[in-house]
Amino acid sequence: MNLRKVATGLSALALIFAVALQARSLHDLIKLPVKHDKQEYRSGSVSQREALALYSAKQKQDSFSACKDQFPAGKPLDIDRMPAKMKPMALCSDNFAVLYSKTSKTPMIVVERLSSAQLNDAKGEERTNAFYADPRIPSGARAELSDYRGQTPPVDRGHQAPAADAPNQKAMAQSFALSNMVPQDPTNNRKIWSKIESDVRKYVKRAGGNVFVFTGPIFDSGHAVIGKNKVWVPTRLFKLVYDENSQRAWAYILPNSETRIEKPMDYSNFVKATGLRLLESQVVSGSLHRS
């Protein structure tokens, strides 16, 4: 036996063993990324199967039973009192409720219950921009992504429940359903309406409790339509705010165009302008500005 070869072989084994021990030590010291089971919702296309998975079994039903908490006093809007020609249906998401129209292929009214705690959770939440057709609405009765493409003049997919109100990734994903969108003038959506949304959030953060926000389109005579599915383009948009603690309510109604923000109106003037009695069962004791 060649003792020199044996010694050399043993030295090589010792070296390999030492390297292995060192690698094990480094592995213990370095925290490697851990793969979580938590669902991620990122930018890009969303398939109908993936979109449907965003909603619970109760949220897939044509009912407000899964989102009563989004309405003042837990009393949802009465669908039976809505115009039958609008073919209304109820849609629930985690953090907002939609009274949807299968005629206009847009929401009619979107309701949110906001609080300082929710908006603190929403701060810094990544915006996904992953728009999708709502799979809970039958094809032909809903807007499709193609309806918004290549329009002249161009239109934005305008959120009614803002993405910036979403307190987590799933709520953010749900906010990009087209059932939460109306065709909106880009300047109006990105500047004027965005400023109103920001002002409402600032108020909610100062408020002492729940603030309910109703948002929706107004379709005056002669409104336009877009896309193969003839999605109605609102001529105006409204936002009604109700502070549950102070019982104050105020509203904005603005043209769907490049315009400027006007002073908010009180609830009685909002009802006269729209015919919508959205706080009929609530006590309204004042407006944003005390007289």
Side-chain angles (χ1 to χ4, degrees):
M1 179 181 291
N2 191 325
L3 295 177
R4 179 175 293 179
K5 287 184 177 180
V6 172
T8 301
L10 290 173
S11 298
L13 286 172
L15 179 61
I16 293 171
F17 185 66
V19 170
L21 284 176
Q22 185 178 16
R24 177 61 184 272
S25 177
L26 287 172
H27 178 79
D28 290 340
L29 289 172
I30 299 172
K31 290 185 177 180
L32 297 176
V34 178
K35 186 176 180 180
H36 296 285
D37 292 332
K38 181 181 177 182
Q39 177 67 50
E40 297 285 337
Y41 305 100
R42 299 298 182 190
S43 300
S45 60
V46 177
S47 71
Q48 287 291 277
R49 181 178 60 82
E50 292 170 329
L52 198 59
L54 290 170
Y55 303 99
S56 69
K58 288 191 71 174
Q59 289 173 341
K60 292 172 186 175
Q61 299 173 4
D62 182 357
S63 168
F64 285 131
S65 62
C67 53
K68 289 181 180 179
D69 60 335
Q70 297 301 312
F71 298 87
K75 296 180 180 179
L77 297 170
D78 187 351
I79 293 183
D80 292 336
R81 296 181 63 180
M82 301 299 159
K85 67 178 182 179
M86 297 304 288
K87 299 178 182 177
M89 69 179 297
L91 297 171
C92 284
S93 292
D94 288 2
N95 292 96
F96 60 92
V98 177
L99 176 62
Y100 183 82
S101 169
K102 290 183 282 187
T103 299
S104 66
K105 284 86 171 182
T106 67
M108 298 168 65
I109 304 166
V110 176
V111 189
E112 303 173 87
R113 183 196 65 188
L114 298 179
S115 66
S116 179
Q118 177 181 325
L119 294 183
N120 285 335
D121 288 341
K123 187 176 181 180
E125 191 66 40
E126 182 181 354
R127 183 183 170 98
T128 64
N129 290 318
F131 296 88
Y132 60 90
D134 196 321
R136 299 171 295 173
I137 305 168
S139 179
R142 70 188 184 208
E144 303 287 350
L145 295 174
S146 58
D147 291 320
Y148 283 84
R149 296 190 187 118
Q151 295 300 321
T152 304
V155 293
D156 277 2
R157 294 164 291 197
H159 281 71
Q160 301 300 276
D165 294 351
N168 54 56
Q169 284 190 350
K170 184 162 172 272
M172 174 67 74
Q174 290 176 340
S175 80
F176 281 88
L178 292 186
S179 55
N180 183 40
M181 308 288 161
V182 298
Q184 196 165 356
D185 175 88
T187 300
N188 182 289
N189 181 38
R190 302 174 199 183
K191 294 184 179 181
I192 296 93
W193 203 249
S194 179
K195 175 65 166 57
I196 289 175
E197 293 172 342
S198 178
D199 287 347
V200 170
R201 280 191 289 274
K202 288 177 183 177
Y203 178 87
V204 172
K205 288 180 179 180
R206 298 192 305 267
N210 292 324
V211 178
F212 294 88
V213 183
F214 300 77
T215 307
I218 298 173
F219 303 106
D220 294 307
S221 178
H223 66 80
V225 298
I226 61 168
K228 180 180 177 181
N229 291 291
K230 300 188 183 304
V231 181
W232 290 18
V233 180
T235 51
R236 295 178 288 164
L237 297 115
F238 71 84
K239 190 175 290 289
L240 170 66
V241 184
Y242 177 65
D243 184 332
E244 186 176 54
N245 281 354
S246 69
Q247 298 180 332
R248 291 190 290 165
W250 62 96
Y252 300 89
I253 299 178
L254 293 179
N256 185 15
S257 61
E258 185 174 348
T259 185
R260 61 183 179 86
I261 300 176
E262 299 178 3
K263 289 183 179 180
M265 63 181 68
D266 62 26
Y267 178 62
S268 61
N269 285 331
F270 169 80
V271 172
K272 290 176 184 176
T274 65
L276 296 171
R277 300 180 180 276
L278 301 178
L279 299 174
E280 192 170 27
S281 60
Q282 306 305 310
V283 176
V284 178
S285 62
S287 188
L288 179 61
H289 302 288
R290 297 183 184 278
S291 56

